[in-house]
Structure formats: C-alpha cells, structure tokens
Amino acid sequence: MSNSDPLAGQIVATDAGWRVPGIANLHSHAFQRAMAGLAEHQTHPEDSFWTWREIMYRFAARMTPESTYAVAAQLYAEMLEAGYTHVCEFHYVHHQPDGTPYADPAAMSRALIAAARDTGIGMTLLPVLYMTGGFDGRELSVRQRRFGHDVDGFVRLLDILRPLQNASLRVGCAFHSLRAVPEAAMREVLSALPADAPVHIHIAEQVGEVQDCLALRNARPVEWLLREFPVDRRWTLVHATHLTGEETRGIAASGATVAICPTTEANLGDGLFPLRDYLQAGGRWGIGSDSHVSVSPVEELRWLEYGQRLVTRHRNIAVLPGSPRVGRTLLAGVLDSAADATGLAPDPQDAVWLDAHAPVLAGATQEDLVDRWLFAGNRPLVRSVRVGGRDVVADGRHADHEAIARRYGATVRQLLED
C-alpha cells in the first residue's frame, strides 16, 4: 500500500453527513448467516473448527435455492446497512443434498446472484471447486457430496455463469483449500480461466491443516502454494492465519491479498494473523465476514487491531510510516485491495454516508473521522448507502428491509423445523 494519502478526497463532509467509501467484503458463505449463534454450545471438551464443521454440515444439507435466496437477501441487506457495498461470495453448496446436480446446475448460484441484484449489493461470485476430503485424496464424505465437482463439471458451471457478468457482477473462481483440490485439478482449472479472473482459496486457517500439509507434502500450505503456482495480484488467500516469517514476506512480495476474517477466526478459535509483520513487509489485505457471526466492517476492523494489541501488549499496531492513525490505515488497506480481490474497479458512485449528528462524531475532522467511526462506540453510524447509482439504504434501513426480514424469518423457522 502506498504511503501517500490514499484517502485524499474520499472523506468529505456533506449536508447529508460524512461521505466515506463503501467497503468490499472479501469472504462470505451466505447460508451460514442462518446458523449464526446456533453453534455456541460445547460438543467436545476441545471444541474447535472441526467440531463446528459438523454443525455446519447438518445446516448446509437443508439449504435449497429458495432458502438460499431468502438467507442471502437478508445477509446482503445487513451488509449494505453496515457499509459494505460489495461481497465476494465463496459459494460451495452447489447440488442437491444427495450430491445429484439440480436440473439447472447453476440453480444455487443463480439464487445468490438474484439476492445480490435485488438488494443492490455488488457481487463477485466465486464458485468453489471441492473434490477430495483431505490431503491424502480420500473421497468426499456423504455430507460433502453436494459441494463436489470434477474438473469438467466445474468448468461447465463457470461457462454457464460467466455470460451473466455485468457492471455489478463478476464471476471468478475459488479452490476450497489445498486439502480439497488436487494439484493437477488446480492447474487444469487455472488454464481454463480468463487471465484476469479473481482466484480465491482458503489456506492455513487451522494448525491441523498445516500439520497435514507438512506430513504429506513436506511443506507448509502457503510455502507450497507460493512455490508451485504463480500467485499474483489476482489471488486472494483467505485467512492465511498460521504463517512463518518467510511465508508472510512471500505473500507480500507476490502482490496477493489476504482476506482476514477476525470475528469468524475468533469465533472458531483459529488464531491471529501476523498483521504487524505483514504490514511491515508491504502486504495487501482486506476483510471478510465469512460465517457472519457479525456483519459489520466496524467490528472486523476494530478486532483486527484489538487482537494485535492483545497479543503484543501494545497499542496502535495498524500503522505505516507517514500514516500514524489506525483507522485511516485500516480503511486505506481495505480500499487498496478491493479492485484486485473483487475483479471490479470501484464505482465512484458507490458511497456511504455516516450520521453527522451522532454524538460520537461531534467535532469530527477529516483526519480523525475514521478513528471515531471504528473505535468510539457500538451505535450504527451508517445512514445512507448508494451502490451503482442506486440508493439502497436510507435512514439506516435497507429500502426493502421489512419484506426481506419477513421472508428470512419464515425461512429460518422452516429450516429449524426440518
């Protein structure tokens, strides 16, 4: 990220309130919004991501195109109300629960696209290739079958979806993880992609994943990926939590973006990303709400900084030479990576207006506004949001807030009854 002021001209006092840029949410599993709060009970004395995943599988098995649309619309409306104007949807629930493709193999993808269109949020749809149940190449489990494709089927799905692209929709590609996609399949898919298509991958999220990769490939996940593939600015590495110093510097040198998801990583007990070392290496990064235990860029950015303070026992970690304000550094970071991670240049019309009359913003200036927005309380400050010239949030509420919420409520009750 450049040390010149990347926010120059982007924070403006207007009659409608403080205007700030919209934020891209770089990592989302929309269906998981409906299970937020349902995994907060102990199932094992050493609960972890792996025990949480059992609950997620049971919930994923109940999703249909209709319920996916209802849940995603609620989620995307919440994102807009919070100040996100674009979402990267890491979409892996493709088929019917028994693994049989729908008559339209893109049915679940189309439900997500429709939810984004109807709510007004920009979308990068990232269909996920998921082929194996571990680094050892074992077959997918029964519960994973609705996620799975062979390479030919996956490329056909991309070919179906790519013509749907428009000014607010980009279709990229995601590899679920190194444990779920063999090397040869990754190479074959990459060769079939447009050269500028964004590529996302979960990597180094849990210690167990790192240990398995070391045992079977004699290399750590990020180490192996950087050695074997031409990782560059079109790549987004999701989580990348467990890194060596060499891996940290390697990602930064590649130009790739790391999608950090602090509230989900905390909820799952994953660990803390080495932010200070990564910033010092010049690394690029963004944020995602992932499992949606929180749908707030304020909370993601706040806890990205607070996690670093807790582990280092120092204050004001997310700073760069010539940029001593934490809030401005954090906002500039997410803006800097957005175009490459999403595959779409930011629309200059996209904007968020903060409540100029909020007590926590009394006397705010262009210099300290972002610090106050991120660190001065929990009252939502977003009043209005415009995306692609369309006013989608007014007075803090999405234009279709009530109808979306009613449909979502009915859908969740049905999912829980089933």
Side-chain angles (χ1 to χ4, degrees):
M1 189 169 65
S2 170
N3 289 338
S4 61
D5 185 1
L7 299 182
Q10 297 201 66
I11 299 175
V12 181
T14 74
D15 291 341
W18 283 99
R19 175 175 168 158
V20 298
I23 294 173
N25 187 329
L26 299 190
H27 193 60
S28 166
H29 304 299
F31 80 92
Q32 292 180 18
R33 180 62 180 134
M35 61 171 282
L38 297 179
E40 308 308 313
H41 56 279
Q42 190 178 74
T43 59
H44 187 277
E46 295 184 0
D47 263 344
S48 67
F49 165 84
W50 305 102
T51 52
W52 170 89
R53 191 172 71 159
E54 296 300 308
I55 299 171
M56 182 273 289
Y57 280 156
R58 293 199 297 271
F59 210 88
R62 302 173 183 178
M63 300 303 296
T64 65
E66 294 75 21
S67 61
T68 294
Y69 172 84
V71 172
Q74 174 67 27
L75 171 66
Y76 298 159
E78 291 177 3
M79 286 186 185
L80 289 163
E81 290 174 349
Y84 289 118
T85 52
H86 195 99
V87 59
C88 293
E89 186 60 46
F90 198 102
H91 167 52
Y92 59 85
V93 185
H94 297 294
H95 309 306
Q96 298 180 71
D98 64 356
T100 304
Y102 288 99
D104 173 7
M108 296 290 272
S109 296
R110 293 185 198 275
L112 293 164
I113 291 170
R117 179 198 64 221
D118 293 349
T119 56
I121 198 167
M123 170 179 275
T124 300
L125 182 66
L126 299 162
V128 174
L129 180 59
Y130 200 130
M131 299 180 69
T132 60
F135 282 101
D136 57 3
R138 72 184 78 113
E139 291 185 359
L140 297 179
S141 69
V142 172
R143 292 174 299 177
Q144 293 170 327
R145 287 177 186 166
R146 73 179 311 192
F147 310 159
H149 280 99
D150 59 22
V151 170
D152 289 343
F154 183 68
V155 172
R156 284 196 297 273
L157 175 63
L158 297 180
D159 289 343
I160 291 170
L161 294 171
R162 203 170 291 120
L164 304 179
Q165 295 181 124
N166 55 45
S168 60
L169 173 66
R170 187 79 159 90
V171 176
C173 161
F175 301 115
H176 181 272
S177 56
L178 295 184
R179 70 178 183 271
V181 186
E183 176 183 354
M186 289 178 64
R187 295 191 186 281
E188 192 172 350
V189 169
L190 287 170
S191 70
L193 290 178
D196 62 347
V199 178
H200 290 222
I201 184 171
H202 289 137
I203 199 161
E205 181 181 0
Q206 302 90 26
V207 172
E209 174 193 349
V210 176
Q211 292 171 337
D212 287 349
C213 192
L214 278 166
L216 289 166
R217 297 189 179 180
N218 197 33
R220 299 168 61 87
V222 170
E223 174 191 12
W224 185 89
L225 184 70
L226 293 176
R227 185 183 70 204
E228 299 295 334
F229 286 86
V231 176
D232 57 17
R233 292 174 73 93
R234 73 168 174 158
W235 285 72
T236 295
L237 310 188
V238 181
H239 303 302
T241 305
H242 301 287
L243 303 176
T244 64
E246 184 175 354
E247 288 173 315
T248 301
R249 294 185 292 272
I251 298 173
S254 75
T257 293
V258 174
I260 310 170
C261 308
T263 61
T264 291
E265 289 153 5
N267 184 269
L268 297 179
D270 288 339
L272 288 168
F273 179 78
L275 182 66
R276 171 175 272 178
D277 291 345
Y278 190 64
L279 289 177
Q280 290 175 345
R284 306 173 75 233
W285 59 276
I287 54 169
S289 58
D290 193 352
S291 67
H292 316 301
V293 291
S294 173
V295 186
S296 166
V298 168
E299 191 166 14
E300 301 297 342
L301 292 171
R302 181 184 297 176
W303 277 103
L304 178 58
E305 168 69 17
Y306 281 178
Q308 304 300 312
R309 295 185 187 190
L310 288 169
V311 74
T312 64
R313 299 188 297 279
H314 293 287
R315 299 187 71 249
N316 300 325
I317 305 301
V319 296
L320 293 167
S323 181
R325 289 193 175 274
V326 173
R328 290 178 69 87
T329 302
L330 292 172
L331 182 59
V334 298
L335 298 180
D336 177 67
S337 64
D340 287 320
T342 66
L344 284 171
D347 187 328
Q349 297 183 90
D350 294 358
V352 173
W353 283 264
L354 304 182
D355 184 359
H357 302 294
V360 297
L361 298 184
T365 67
Q366 288 186 349
E367 282 297 306
D368 67 20
L369 177 79
V370 183
D371 288 338
R372 294 191 185 208
W373 179 26
L374 299 184
F375 296 103
N378 293 315
R379 172 186 167 187
L381 298 180
V382 172
R383 303 307 299 158
S384 304
V385 178
R386 181 176 299 157
V387 181
R390 175 180 170 186
D391 292 324
V392 290
V393 173
D395 295 326
R397 299 287 291 272
H398 188 274
D400 296 322
H401 179 99
E402 288 79 8
I404 289 170
R406 282 196 300 272
R407 182 171 56 238
Y408 173 78
T411 298
V412 171
R413 285 189 287 272
Q414 182 177 10
L415 288 169
L416 294 176
E417 289 172 0
D418 293 343

